[in-house]
Amino acid sequence: MLPVVALVGRPNVGKSTLYNALTRSRDALVADMPGVTRDRHYGVCRLGPRPFVVVDTGGLSGSDEGIEGLTANQVRLAIEEANLLVFVVDARDGVLPQDASILNELRRSGKPVIVVVNKTDGVDEAVALGEFASFGMAETLPMSAAHNRGVDVLVEHALTHLPDDRDDDPGLADQGIRVAIVGRPNAGKSTLINRLLGEDRLIVSDVAGTTRDPIRVPLERDGKRFTLIDTAGVRRRARVEEAVEKFSVIKTLQSIAASQVTVVMIDARENLADQDLTLIGGAMEEGRALVIAVNKWDGMDKYARDQCMAALGRRLAFVEWAKTVFISALHGSGLSELMKAVVRAHAAATKVITSSDLTRTLEKAYEAYQPPLVRGHAPKLRYAHPGGNNPPTIIIHGSRTKHIAPAYRRYLEGFFRKRYKLEGTPIRIDFRDGENPYAGKKNVLTDSQQQKRQRMIRNAKRREK
């Protein structure tokens, strides 16, 4: 395992900005307000000769109640698993009593600690470092994470405290199937991931909008590897007011694009909202394999279940190829079937089909039902070949394909889906007209042909007279 470095400190001191600088990414959500980060966020720093894992944590506000208390528990879990603790403080705020309390807790852990004085741009470094010298820490480094100043020095100091272990680099290892868990707020996304992992890896609260950053969590289940991506809940645009929530929604849409399978979680006790359909449509536009997870199915009576299933069947008819699984993330029922549906959807989305097999299937579909006539002529479909996967893309060559009706496209899509058992993935069909072999060529005639043409023209003129 790679060594672990945890970034710890008060809210809004720049831990997420430093995390992005160390990992050379923009994975952590950054905003000029306290309490944006809540869950543990993992990444890999490769700026030095040896890589190590960086953990971004939420700010320790000193409160053990509500969201702040749940965030503090996540920070303490990060402290326990870390080999090195980086204590981030704010040079502009100076030494606060809260900083001293956090440092005492870090010292009690027995782990090596490096103090990083962040936001030193625009202030006197000597004065700032002198103020924090009261901590009595030998390694106190100036830093401007926003301007990437002092990051290399921090990496050099960190490597002196970390064991030399190059095994199991998470950036190089197989991440398995990337699964994005999306849905509205309070649909149970974090609860589902915690249940699959068997630990409280993510913060779960009745407060809507608890998750803000997309959190990637590795999972191995039934001999298969997965990377679960927990995302922020997406509400209607009219209800999104805070800038942080707007960025969270953007991160959620980016997570869908980065995934291979998208699991859309729906609350069975609430009506299927337009926002759920919007998320399903977003996954289809990105061409991602799709699984519908209906959560909170436990405790519902027969009438409520029948009403829910009728509504799902009516409003999800446009994605009837997607598997719908009824689960209880809290109690763990239906999770085995859910993960099997994810594996089947991924297998269908990445299925390899040969050109010869596609062409034979196309011929059978064409013989069974030909496209409608266009101006007295029927479009001809000659051959097909694969154009990629995730989603499966089929390119069909023929003539007059521009006039093929949408209904016939759906017929071909259903025919291919049934033939190759493509459950849980959209299919893209691209029609291409055959090129005219004489297009762009000049009409060059021989001398005898030109003479014959001229005689025909003269005879036509005589007959007209």
Side-chain angles (χ1 to χ4, degrees):
M1 296 293 291
L2 291 179
V4 179
V5 176
L7 309 180
V8 187
R10 291 186 294 109
N12 212 32
V13 294
K15 299 183 297 298
S16 296
T17 304
L18 178 56
Y19 171 90
N20 288 341
L22 289 170
T23 59
R24 288 293 190 268
S25 70
R26 300 180 66 180
D27 292 342
L29 193 59
V30 177
D32 190 15
M33 60 178 293
V36 173
T37 304
R38 291 170 176 171
D39 293 292
R40 287 172 285 164
H41 204 152
Y42 290 77
V44 180
C45 175
R46 298 187 178 85
L47 299 181
R50 289 182 288 136
F52 57 87
V53 175
V54 184
V55 187
D56 182 25
T57 65
L60 290 172
S61 62
S63 174
D64 288 332
E65 297 180 356
I67 295 294
E68 290 79 6
L70 297 173
T71 302
N73 291 336
Q74 292 291 316
V75 176
R76 294 186 176 100
L77 290 173
I79 292 174
E80 290 180 6
E81 66 180 349
N83 302 98
L84 171 67
L85 304 175
V86 174
F87 180 35
V88 185
V89 293
D90 193 333
R92 299 175 183 177
D93 292 341
V95 179
L96 299 180
Q98 196 174 343
D99 291 325
S101 176
I102 296 173
L103 182 58
N104 289 335
E105 184 173 352
L106 299 183
R107 280 171 168 159
R108 287 194 296 270
S109 68
K111 307 287 180 67
V113 179
I114 297 178
V115 178
V116 168
V117 184
N118 193 27
K119 304 182 184 180
T120 56
D121 47 305
V123 302
D124 192 327
E125 282 190 8
V127 174
L129 294 177
E131 186 175 1
F132 287 98
S134 60
F135 286 164
M137 301 297 295
E139 293 180 285
T140 303
L141 308 176
M143 174 77 64
S144 176
H147 298 90
N148 206 29
R149 185 165 55 85
V151 175
D152 294 336
V153 177
L154 172 61
V155 172
E156 292 177 6
H157 281 257
L159 290 176
T160 61
H161 297 280
L162 300 178
D164 186 5
D165 192 347
R166 297 175 179 270
D167 296 334
D168 298 333
D169 185 343
L172 300 177
D174 180 19
Q175 296 181 352
I177 304 173
R178 297 187 301 276
V179 184
I181 315 294
V182 302
R184 287 183 292 159
N186 266 0
K189 301 180 292 295
S190 298
T191 304
L192 171 62
I193 293 180
N194 285 346
R195 188 71 186 186
L196 289 171
L197 294 174
E199 61 173 300
D200 293 333
R201 171 64 178 80
L202 302 171
I203 294 177
V204 176
S205 172
D206 292 334
V207 179
T210 300
T211 303
R212 287 174 170 171
D213 281 295
I215 307 297
R216 296 184 175 230
V217 182
L219 170 68
E220 185 168 352
R221 184 184 178 97
D222 298 330
K224 294 186 177 295
R225 292 178 178 269
F226 303 88
T227 296
L228 307 179
I229 309 174
D230 185 26
T231 62
V234 178
R235 299 190 295 172
R236 285 189 303 168
R237 184 179 301 178
R239 296 186 178 182
V240 178
E241 297 178 355
E242 294 184 2
V244 172
E245 187 174 355
K246 292 180 181 179
F247 285 117
S248 296
V249 172
I250 293 173
K251 291 282 189 179
T252 297
L253 299 178
Q254 290 175 347
S255 298
I256 293 176
S259 68
Q260 294 171 307
V261 181
T262 298
V263 175
V264 178
M265 291 197 68
I266 299 173
D267 191 337
R269 302 180 184 183
E270 297 183 9
N271 293 327
L272 188 65
D274 292 340
Q275 197 58 42
D276 298 319
L277 302 178
T278 300
L279 289 171
I280 293 174
M284 292 178 61
E285 288 180 4
E286 294 291 342
R288 297 298 168 250
L290 181 66
V291 177
I292 310 296
V294 183
N295 191 26
K296 305 180 183 180
W297 190 247
D298 53 307
M300 296 178 63
D301 56 30
K302 186 178 185 303
Y303 175 78
R305 290 188 176 186
D306 291 342
Q307 290 294 106
C308 178
M309 293 182 68
L312 292 173
R314 183 173 60 255
R315 302 200 67 186
L316 297 180
F318 69 103
V319 285
E320 59 183 0
W321 43 264
K323 178 70 174 178
T324 300
V325 184
F326 299 91
I327 67 171
S328 171
L330 183 62
H331 299 99
S333 60
L335 299 192
S336 178
E337 185 180 356
L338 173 64
M339 299 311 294
K340 290 179 181 177
V342 168
V343 172
R344 288 197 299 268
H346 176 261
T350 57
K351 190 179 184 68
V352 177
I353 310 174
T354 63
S355 299
S356 57
D357 198 1
L358 281 175
T359 300
R360 285 193 295 268
T361 304
L362 176 63
E363 291 173 352
K364 293 179 181 178
Y366 189 82
E367 291 175 0
Y369 173 45
Q370 294 187 5
L373 297 178
V374 178
R375 297 174 184 175
H377 300 280
K380 301 294 183 181
L381 305 181
R382 295 187 174 88
Y383 65 95
H385 64 85
N389 53 22
N390 199 24
T393 302
I394 301 172
I395 300 176
I396 299 177
H397 293 262
S399 60
R400 302 186 186 90
T401 58
K402 295 180 180 179
H403 304 288
I404 289 181
Y408 195 77
R409 180 190 291 268
R410 291 193 296 270
Y411 160 73
L412 290 177
E413 183 179 318
F415 199 94
F416 283 113
R417 188 182 301 281
K418 183 177 180 181
R419 167 65 178 83
Y420 299 109
K421 299 179 181 178
L422 301 178
E423 174 190 324
T425 179
I427 300 175
R428 290 179 177 172
I429 297 179
D430 184 13
F431 292 103
R432 295 184 182 176
D433 272 342
E435 296 181 359
N436 183 356
Y438 300 102
K441 294 184 178 181
K442 295 182 178 180
N443 188 15
V444 180
L445 301 178
T446 63
D447 294 339
S448 60
Q449 289 175 333
Q450 289 179 355
Q451 293 174 359
K452 184 177 180 180
R453 183 180 179 185
Q454 291 174 357
R455 285 197 301 270
M456 292 175 62
I457 294 174
R458 286 196 298 268
N459 292 336
K461 290 179 177 180
R462 291 195 189 99
R463 286 196 296 268
E464 289 178 358
K465 293 179 179 179

